[in-house]
Amino acid sequence: MPIPVTCPSCFTRFNVSDKFAGKSGPCPKCQKTIKIPEKSEEVVIHAPEDSGPKDSKGQSVLKPLRRKEVSLSMPVLLAAGLGTLVVFGVALGLGVSGDPPPTVLLALSSIVLAIPIVIVGYWFLHDDELAGYTGQELLVRAGICALGFAASWGVYAFVPAYIKGYDSMAEISGVEMAMFVAIMIAMGTIVSVLSMELEVLQGLMHYMLYFSLTFTLTWLAGTQLADPLSRPSDVGSTPRPAVAPDQSGTPAPILPPNTAPPKKPNLLQ
């Protein structure tokens, strides 16, 4: 077996026969005298012993596991982009109409939108060095994560109303909004970490992607999210008249309570 040699003078690398092991000779390039290493100085790297089952030829019958990459095809990405444009268009149409969307529509939209957002966000954020979830397992975990994300909006919509007795989200103050949004972010991060097995920072970014998109769509649709975000058309309303007109068009005075209206004179007397 040839012995690899490196000349210490000109750093030329070459191989010599093992019969010259331990002997000295001139370098074929610079003619400097060099010593050939002994056979005992060689470093031999042995392959790991394969103790698994083998066939009749001594070859292992086990095949190495190949890591499955989490990838999205181009049709899926195009469908996601087109669906995003359609959803934004619908939200803008609802906002222009002036009628706030019903609660049932908001609840269903928060769940339906969550599933593709969770899958696309997981595809971007998961660690490439680790085997990602694919197929049915990915769909099941994404469904659980989507329900958790949508439930965070339920916390914002119903908990303040239950605690403070608000009639709608438009009565939530700025301080209360910041507090409940922080609770939503913490809740969404925990759900993402537990269901998709992401790191804490990845789980935070995962939920923030969902929150930012749904928050923007909800606001564009004309939903009253909080008092600081209420639009002038949502806050202002036609004031009630201080006097009630009678049939003749003349405003009738408003009487104090427990006061009988004056009797009209009888012209026949």
Side-chain angles (χ1 to χ4, degrees):
M1 181 177 180
I3 301 174
V5 180
T6 302
C7 177
S9 299
C10 62
F11 303 103
T12 302
R13 296 180 180 180
F14 54 93
N15 296 327
V16 298
S17 177
D18 55 359
K19 66 181 180 180
F20 297 106
K23 298 181 180 179
S24 299
C27 171
K29 185 176 182 180
C30 64
Q31 301 301 318
K32 296 288 185 179
T33 301
I34 58 175
K35 184 178 181 181
I36 309 301
E38 297 284 351
K39 290 287 292 181
S40 58
E41 299 178 8
E42 292 181 345
V43 178
V44 180
I45 300 176
H46 299 279
E49 183 179 358
D50 187 3
S51 59
K54 299 179 177 60
D55 56 13
S56 59
K57 297 181 181 180
Q59 301 293 329
S60 176
V61 298
L62 300 178
K63 296 181 179 180
L65 296 177
R66 294 183 177 181
R67 188 181 65 183
K68 296 181 179 180
E69 297 289 343
V70 179
S71 60
L72 296 179
S73 61
M74 184 58 64
V76 174
L77 292 176
L78 292 177
L82 181 60
T84 301
L85 294 178
V86 171
V87 170
F88 270 90
V90 172
L92 286 174
L94 291 174
V96 171
S97 66
D99 297 329
T103 305
V104 176
L105 178 61
L106 292 175
L108 292 177
S109 301
S110 64
I111 299 176
V112 173
L113 291 175
I115 297 177
I117 293 175
V118 166
I119 295 177
V120 173
Y122 175 73
W123 180 65
F124 278 104
L125 294 173
H126 88 284
D127 192 352
D128 294 333
E129 299 298 327
L130 302 177
Y133 296 112
T134 57
Q136 184 178 0
E137 186 176 10
L138 176 60
L139 292 178
V140 172
R141 290 180 174 271
I144 296 174
C145 187
L147 291 176
F149 283 5
S152 65
W153 273 113
V155 171
Y156 182 81
F158 297 108
V159 172
Y162 177 79
I163 295 176
K164 294 295 187 69
Y166 294 149
D167 294 330
S168 67
M169 291 186 295
E171 301 179 21
I172 299 176
S173 65
V175 176
E176 292 170 337
M177 178 185 177
M179 180 180 64
F180 281 100
V181 167
I183 295 175
M184 292 172 61
I185 294 175
M187 178 180 174
T189 303
I190 294 174
V191 170
S192 178
V193 170
L194 295 180
S195 60
M196 308 304 294
E197 293 189 358
L198 297 173
E199 299 292 337
V200 175
L201 181 58
Q202 294 173 337
L204 173 63
M205 297 173 64
H206 196 205
Y207 178 76
M208 289 304 299
L209 174 63
Y210 167 80
F211 176 80
S212 59
L213 290 176
T214 53
F215 182 90
T216 304
L217 290 172
T218 305
W219 184 79
L220 289 177
T223 305
Q224 302 178 16
L225 293 172
D227 180 60
L229 299 178
S230 297
R231 301 177 183 179
S233 58
D234 299 332
V235 178
S237 59
T238 303
R240 296 173 56 186
V243 293
D246 56 10
Q247 296 181 354
S248 62
T250 303
I254 298 179
L255 302 176
N258 300 326
T259 302
K263 295 182 179 181
K264 294 183 179 179
N266 191 353
L267 301 178
L268 299 179
Q269 293 181 354

